[in-house]
Amino acid sequence: MNLSIQPLIDLADTDRELQAFIYSKSNLEKQIDTASSVVNQHKKTIEEKNDELNALVNEAEELKKNIQIQEQLISKLNEQVPKIRNEKEFAASKNQLEEARKNLGVLEENLLELDINKEDLDKDLEQINVKLDESSTEFKQETSGLLKKQEKAEKQIAILAPRRTRLLKKIPKNIQRFYERCQDSGISTPICAIIDKSCSGCHMVLLPQLINELMSNPNSHKNCPNCTRILYFPVSEEETVS
Ligand SMILES: [Zn+2]
């Protein structure tokens, strides 16, 4: 077996597998996000309606307080009527009472209007809650498969990520640095097999001399003259060539 090239191949294979799972996980996340957008929209509407409802409740409390003040004022004015001594006092008391009753009337009308608005809001909320339940059920049905796949991808990543780190430590320091530099600059597969006489990273057809050199010494590796990826000659390719 190829002793020195094998850790490189193992690393490249593990990394490729890991990347596939990372890609699939982020894809699944996007799909789940899209599916949850309807549910989230309903939740947002419910939040908004609840805020409106709270504002109405506060307003109603305020109105009730003012109604109480007017009622107290009216009963106080009524209590004072028997003590009235002259025309002037009577006229003043009458004016105050009329004013207070008018205010009370306006306040009570406002409270009635608020109650009607509150009832409407309650109905809205009830309907939205039904919709939320429906969309939540739908979401669960739609995404149960996706969530299972996502869980599987996460498990695979949890296995492959530490394996990758282990394998990376096994390869020579200079190749390690090259590998990390490549991945930092966006080349996700810095170690590639020769497939169909080409670099499987950039797909450039390779010179026969380079292929022959690697074929005759399968334990060695060379850089692709085009993309600089590390090339190795896979055992399976040898079989197809010969
Ligand atoms: Zn290449």
Side-chain angles (χ1 to χ4, degrees):
M1 206 53 221
N2 310 328
L3 287 177
S4 77
I5 192 77
Q6 198 54 45
L8 262 67
I9 298 174
D10 289 345
L11 173 64
D13 287 347
T14 304
D15 219 8
R16 214 165 273 141
E17 221 183 319
L18 175 63
Q19 281 162 18
F21 279 114
I22 290 173
Y23 177 75
S24 129
K25 189 185 159 225
S26 92
N27 236 2
L28 287 163
E29 265 163 20
K30 272 183 220 151
Q31 279 174 273
I32 292 166
D33 267 0
T34 311
S36 69
S37 66
V38 178
V39 178
N40 289 339
Q41 187 55 50
H42 289 320
K43 279 186 187 161
K44 206 180 144 208
T45 314
I46 288 175
E47 231 170 80
E48 284 166 2
K49 293 274 175 194
N50 270 327
D51 285 347
E52 268 179 65
L53 199 62
N54 281 335
L56 281 186
V57 169
N58 288 339
E59 220 178 306
E61 284 305 311
E62 196 64 27
L63 276 176
K64 280 178 196 161
K65 257 187 235 161
N66 286 331
I67 285 173
Q68 215 182 357
I69 292 169
Q70 292 302 321
E71 281 171 346
Q72 280 166 352
L73 179 64
I74 289 167
S75 72
K76 201 177 124 201
L77 288 168
N78 278 331
E79 277 165 29
Q80 284 168 351
V81 170
K83 297 173 199 157
I84 289 172
R85 286 163 298 182
N86 53 48
E87 284 284 321
K88 203 178 150 196
E89 273 183 19
F90 180 76
S93 163
K94 199 180 153 223
N95 275 343
Q96 277 179 302
L97 257 172
E98 270 171 12
E99 184 70 24
R101 285 196 183 114
K102 208 174 94 189
N103 286 342
L104 183 62
V106 172
L107 288 170
E108 279 171 344
E109 235 171 78
N110 287 348
L111 187 61
L112 199 68
E113 210 176 302
L114 264 182
D115 278 340
I116 293 167
N117 286 345
K118 207 171 146 271
E119 261 174 48
D120 287 347
L121 261 179
D122 282 334
K123 268 183 218 153
D124 282 356
L125 267 170
E126 219 173 283
Q127 282 175 347
I128 299 164
N129 270 313
V130 171
K131 279 188 200 161
L132 176 66
D133 283 346
E134 283 170 2
S135 62
S136 295
T137 312
E138 214 173 293
F139 171 75
K140 273 180 205 145
Q141 284 166 351
E142 255 180 61
T143 55
S144 71
L146 296 176
L147 288 168
K148 265 182 213 152
K149 278 187 204 163
Q150 196 187 31
E151 210 178 299
K152 202 179 139 202
E154 271 166 10
K155 271 187 197 155
Q156 290 297 325
I157 290 168
I159 295 168
L160 290 168
R163 186 187 296 168
R164 176 205 183 260
T165 312
R166 251 189 343 262
L167 289 168
L168 188 66
K169 277 182 195 150
K170 273 191 198 166
I171 64 174
K173 279 269 180 283
N174 59 332
I175 299 178
Q176 235 179 74
R177 276 195 297 273
F178 166 82
Y179 198 88
E180 283 168 333
R181 224 174 27 245
C182 278
Q183 291 198 324
D184 285 346
S185 64
I187 296 175
S188 57
T189 53
I191 298 172
C192 278
I194 295 174
I195 295 171
D196 279 342
K197 295 174 186 165
S198 312
C199 162
S200 64
C202 70
H203 304 295
M204 194 187 79
V205 177
L206 301 160
L207 287 171
Q209 197 199 343
L210 190 148
I211 299 176
N212 285 335
E213 272 176 50
L214 287 179
M215 214 166 117
S216 58
N217 188 5
N219 206 14
S220 65
H221 57 79
K222 282 193 176 297
N223 292 85
C224 169
N226 184 45
C227 68
T228 74
R229 282 181 176 90
I230 290 176
L231 292 169
Y232 66 91
F233 198 84
V235 180
S236 57
E237 185 79 356
E238 199 168 10
E239 283 159 4
T240 56
V241 168
S242 61

